[in-house]
Amino acid sequence: MRACARRLALRITTPYMQNSKQWYTLGLSAGEHRRSLRVRVLGSEKLSEPLWFEQNAAVVVPDCAGRVVAQLLTPQPDHRLLLLAPALRLHNETDLMLAVRFHEEDRATVIKHLDSAICNASLLGLKSECEPAAAEPQAASCKSADNEWVCLPPNSICAVPAAATAQDGKSCDRTIISLRPSAWSLPDVDFSQPSSVGRKIVEGLSCKLGVGSSKSGYPRAGPVPLHFLVVQGSEDIGSGYGQKIKTLSIRPSMVFMNALPFGPLGLDIASTSSKAPPVVVEALQRVNFYGLSMQEMRGGLTLAAQLAPKAPWSGKVNLEGNDIVDITENVLGDEAKILDMKESTSGAPAAVSLECLGHGQIRVSCSHWLLDRSGAQEKGLGKLEVFYQGAKLPSHNGITLLHAGCFENPCDLVLCPDGKSMKAKQTMKLPPNFESFVWNTPSGSLEMTLRIGSIKSSSVHGATCMQFTLAPRLVLTNASDVELELETPEKMKIRWKPRESRVLHWKANMEAVDPLATTFRFRPIGGGQCEFSGVVLCSDGSAGSTPFTLKRQGGGVEVWSVDVAPLHGSMGVLIRPGSDFIACNLLENRMEVQDEERPDERINVPAGGESVPIGWCKPFSGKRSRAVRVIVDKEIVDIPDLQRTAVRPLKTPGLALRVMRSGKTTKLSLEELHEKQQVQAKSEAFQATFELHVKLGRAGISLIDESPPQPCELFFFSLDMLRLEYMQDAARDSEKLTVSVSEVQGICQLPDRTNDLDKVNMLDPSQLQRLHENLLQNQELPAVILANHSAGGKSFLQFQMTRQATSSRDLLLSAAQLDVDKLDFTVDEKWLTPLQQWLSHTFGAGGFDLFGVVAEELLNVAGKPITDGYIPPDVPAVVQAEDVNISAVDTTVWCSLRLKYLEFLPVHVRTALKVLSFSSYFTLDGVGLLLPARHLEPHRGSLQDYAMAVVSDYSTSILAHLGSLLGKSSLLNLPKAPLKLGGAVVAVMGDKLTDVTTGAASLLRNFTMDDEYIAKNREKKTITGASQGFAAAGKTLMDGVEGMFDVVKKPVEGAQKEGLWGFATGLTKGVAGSIVKPVAAFGTAIGEVGTGLASTTNTLNDNEANQRRRARRRLRLPRLLFGELGEVRPFVDFESQLYQRYGANIRGVCEVVLLDREEKGGDLFITSLLLFVDQLAVAVASNQAADAVPNKFERTFNIVKNTQSSKVAPLRGLRFSQLQKVALEGTTLKLVGSAKEVFSLDLDKANLSVAAQRALLTGLEAAAANGRLEAHRTWSQLRAVRQSDEHSARVRDMKLAAETGLKMLKSEAAMRDRGAARSRLLEVWEVERHVFGWGTCSWPTDGDLQWRWVGPNGRKHPQVDETMSKDKATAAKEPPCQLGGLYKAVGPWQVETTAATDRDGWEAPVDAPLFLALQTGKRAVLDLSSDDRDVNEKHKDKLHQEFYNVPTKVGMDAARLEGSWGLALLLSQDALPVRDQRSVEVKDSAE
């Protein structure tokens, strides 16, 4: 579709084309295999960027001064549309035909003779929200003679002509227009004043209307102006253009939407300066209103409403101008106003809410409706009315609007025979899901059900509404072609016509176990007369299909089935001929089946394979087992239950009876056994057992957002040590399923997520600016938003289920157990908003509207009996659960959401939250939510209802915690906020003060040479508050004063012990102590006061849950996506490191070629060649900071990409437009630039085959010739060659592994490159510090190092036994780690020794002033329960020798340690020496 005045050429590219200069006119559609297209202006050689058919996107056409945009759209799922149009457009969203004039900059001159393209916006996928008020003429008939204006019909879109576009710089983003309704629509209308539109989001236009015309129920007595809004919508045009597509939508000044099932709805509106005429809106309709200007709306409005012309008006509500005109953050849901709307002055008010949706849109809705499908009025019982607190709620045509708090406050269901008097009343609270009850009326008891359901929001103008349906509980359907006769327990006989559905009520026995259960007997009438069947039980426990045998009076039997389908409290019963149990004789032998209770009634099964239905005379009596007696020739075989899979050999050799499930039927067949089966039948081991074991080391799911212009990974969900075990025991006819997951992580991969939240640096102004956001609103943005604790090795999930009677259609669970670990969950709008956008892009605008009933359908059936248009429900999946146990669910929740995200809550609840929280945020800061363990009682019924009941039970528990949650939420967050900010500041300063003073004091104490004094002060003091800090400081100062007298005391003590030598030693200690101890005591006291202050304030900010969340590291960095489409490839760890370091600078990369791998100082540097469409670059994956010094490869090139963010490194490379020549000399790739400079790249370590090098050279030569490449043409060839090489390497490795008989362990390179190694190492670090001898770290600044056994992050190792104290842990000779149930130890701990360590594995530089030693341990862990345990035990010693030589370095900078390849431990900012290093290997049990 061309909507611009320029002639354009279109080139469609395909991977099968050999000639790159094939041209097509605009009339030729894209072929089946074509992937992209590019556009140019005729006469120009420049082509636009490619548009890929796989996604919607837009590009600017070159040489058009930015005025023409090529945009690829998907109006419907079955076709694509290319739109060529200017970037500025007008869209008429009114119900009027508009005449639009364009003006020059002086606004007085009208631009004439315009040739602007106009099309129906529905062709572009823009649906009209309202229909035109009347049949409008064609646009051509409204044009002026000199083309002074253009006519826009309703829902049409117009390209703003280039001559009418005001261009500022590079962007053409505004125009000057005036408008009026066309003369055909409304005569005598003046044009509005010229106005510049396109700069502001919302702008207003007004034009005067003459006398004698009206529109949309708008009567006038004189000239009244019409008002419009011009709303701007924008869309990005790729990346690098700096331009957007702007659509200026012309809308009515106000739109009123009636989302109520009542009409006409009256609205009374007034501004601060005038009162508008009343507006009338029919049920579920919308009305455009032109009577108020934008200035009047911004001043605020008052509004009242009435449900009907004679109904009373509600109280007036005040609407803020910004909420009416603008789309604000708080406008979608939490700004709703409650209208006190009644049907009469004596009636009760319904929970009707009024919401401002912005841009002049106002919606009136009710969150809960009650739909009458009881049929009581047709039975003469009277009309159903609903009363609340003695007053009648509004109702119309079978629909009642319910009151606020209908779940908590009961209402009365009343039958009124004459419309006034109340004959029967049922008081009840509305259920959260469904409820069945007995309603006693003067005409007898009615068994009813009340169930809740959703209404499609698209049918109620986007509102969130629920509907309660009141209907009879039991509907019986005759699905046969003959008439049926039913006999009730009261011996009353009822006849059912063929294919008839009828409601059945009965006299309920309120003293029975199930008062809602009923029974009946039935028989067909006509043909062979049958006796009545056995008793049919209608209850939840009888759910499913039950076959009956009916004895004919002339002999023989008929088999009928009764299908009982309970669903949400209601019950559909269907009677049909046939059965789900069939018998089949596949041989020529005589076969008969008989019921054990009626041996005289036999069912003959003829030979030839014909299926014969099987039934029972009393299937609901006794144990309800499906036992039969089968007679084959003269042999009698008793089968106790046809619901169990079995093979029963007969005495006749080679024959057997088989019971098995086939689709929805259970089949009993007489068949012949094969020779092998006959041998098995003679042995005792005939019953088979089948087992399936699936073990996965890690299973991950990535959620990718492919929407342009920047595809990215949104989320990554990781399941570690996933095990699935399935066992089928034919002897017991049982199935056992076991699922276990060791660890789960849900990771948000968006750029602003962090591994943990560092303490606020008071010297960093950028962090000071974020204090308000991060601290006051709890805006901590951890990358890991969902994780289990894994305390003590506990698994995240363990589920075990045992099923019996596998041939049954029902799910018979003898036992089920679900255990869930403690969870941490973070929810915030920073990831919730992108997820909603992704769902909208994936499933469309109606993606969240898949469930529910259309409101118009409810209006059509309201007040009618349930049998009108009744369709019998299918038999649901039936579950019979005997022993089900669910463990406690303990979740710690962090939440920070604007109230607009809580639309699932009723409007009055959201309003109450807003009032109580004094803000628009709902905040939970580490709140514990504990749902107790449950043992579910034995149950039989619909699986869907069973699941709903369990969910409802847990929902009730959550609501029970609501009070405590609100107590820790935003209701108390505001008073705590100022104290919290002060706490953060004091905590930072206190911690820094403690680090400096305490560390210096500890060093001074060593100079006293007093071992007793040093040992005493080494004892760790527990300070958790300011009072304890001051008390400890006072005691320390007293010790310092006492130390001043050491110059006298120590010589005397030394002389008493050792004489003259002791006197000399004591004198030395006394002089040192008298000087050092007071100074050291003063420093220690300051540190203790600082610790107390920090501990007091951190109690508000940093509880145990917050510390646990911050210490958690994500398992995987965001993946790198390739090409402009964001192609997903197998995850490579160093590629994610590249993306982490360079960020948006490497988006669009097509290929990554590894050039070099280098280790320096314990850091691993992986240099790669990045190939783009228009450039190449060299990048380094490392754990260094983004501004690190470039290496030798990077220094070869200049910077080609550099964002303004300091978090990402600049990209160095060469653009193909500057590439003149390419040559490959040996293993050196030489590139010649436009200035004759030569760039050399060594491919010696690139591991490229000859074919891959040739493909790389070919691609670079084509890039040098054309200045750019299309990714699917050349780099795809390089990728294909590399994939072939990788496949060949894997085949060679597999052959080598098969020949040696060993399982293949991935190499170190694969470990680091792929990040998915099969070997799992349990890494433990042992740390000691040297002061006056080696020992456990005891400095206050050592933190978790005092535990001795730590992880790579320097914190206490997560596998250390939680029940063990710190003293016991430090005294352990080996790492006191718990492996958990999923791991088993293979061998003992081993210490790694190298040339740099002593014989015990300790490494310690002798030139360091403060000594700290470190040793690492790696423990081999292997699942001994696997089938290949013998092989693994055989090669155990070999596995112990397979160590990964990972370089180690301590004292590294924090930024360099982030994402380190090796084992690294952050101790402090200063370099500290290492004395010992130790290592052990671990093996993943999944291997």
Side-chain angles (χ1 to χ4, degrees), residues 687-693 725-730 734-736:
Q687 303 295 347
T689 300
F690 172 76
E691 293 187 17
L692 174 66
H693 297 265
E725 298 179 2
Y726 172 78
M727 184 180 69
Q728 187 180 56
D729 189 348
S734 65
E735 296 174 332
K736 185 176 181 180

Side-chain angles (χ1 to χ4, degrees), residues 1017-1142:
N1017 283 274
R1018 270 190 175 181
E1019 297 178 0
K1020 182 69 174 178
K1021 298 179 181 178
T1022 303
I1023 299 175
T1024 60
S1027 59
Q1028 296 182 5
F1030 282 108
K1035 185 177 180 181
T1036 301
L1037 288 175
M1038 291 300 298
D1039 292 340
V1041 173
E1042 182 182 353
M1044 295 174 61
F1045 300 98
D1046 281 1
V1047 68
V1048 177
K1049 186 172 61 174
K1050 292 299 180 182
V1052 174
E1053 292 178 353
Q1056 291 175 351
K1057 292 181 180 180
E1058 301 180 10
L1060 183 60
W1061 175 254
F1063 176 83
T1065 304
L1067 181 62
T1068 304
K1069 291 182 179 180
V1071 173
S1074 297
I1075 299 173
V1076 174
K1077 285 184 178 180
V1079 179
F1082 182 74
T1084 302
I1086 295 176
E1088 289 168 342
V1089 171
T1091 301
L1093 291 174
S1095 299
T1096 300
T1097 53
N1098 278 332
T1099 302
L1100 298 176
N1101 309 309
D1102 211 17
N1103 54 27
E1104 181 182 355
N1106 287 333
Q1107 293 177 3
R1108 180 178 64 249
R1109 184 174 70 152
R1110 290 169 181 161
R1112 184 175 289 117
R1113 298 284 175 169
R1114 58 175 153 192
L1115 296 176
R1116 213 204 65 188
L1117 292 173
R1119 73 165 63 238
L1120 177 64
L1121 302 179
F1122 291 83
E1124 298 181 15
L1125 297 179
E1127 179 184 348
V1128 180
R1129 297 180 185 176
F1131 178 79
V1132 179
D1133 199 65
F1134 86 85
E1135 292 177 352
S1136 69
Q1137 289 277 346
L1138 289 174
Y1139 183 54
Q1140 182 79 358
R1141 186 168 187 238
Y1142 293 94

Side-chain angles (χ1 to χ4, degrees), residues 320 783 1459:
E320 297 291 336

Side-chain angles (χ1 to χ4, degrees), residues 1287-1304:
H1287 176 72
S1288 301
R1290 286 195 298 268
V1291 172
R1292 289 195 302 270
D1293 292 341
M1294 293 175 64
K1295 289 182 179 179
L1296 179 62
E1299 292 173 358
T1300 57
L1302 295 175
K1303 286 191 172 182
M1304 183 179 64

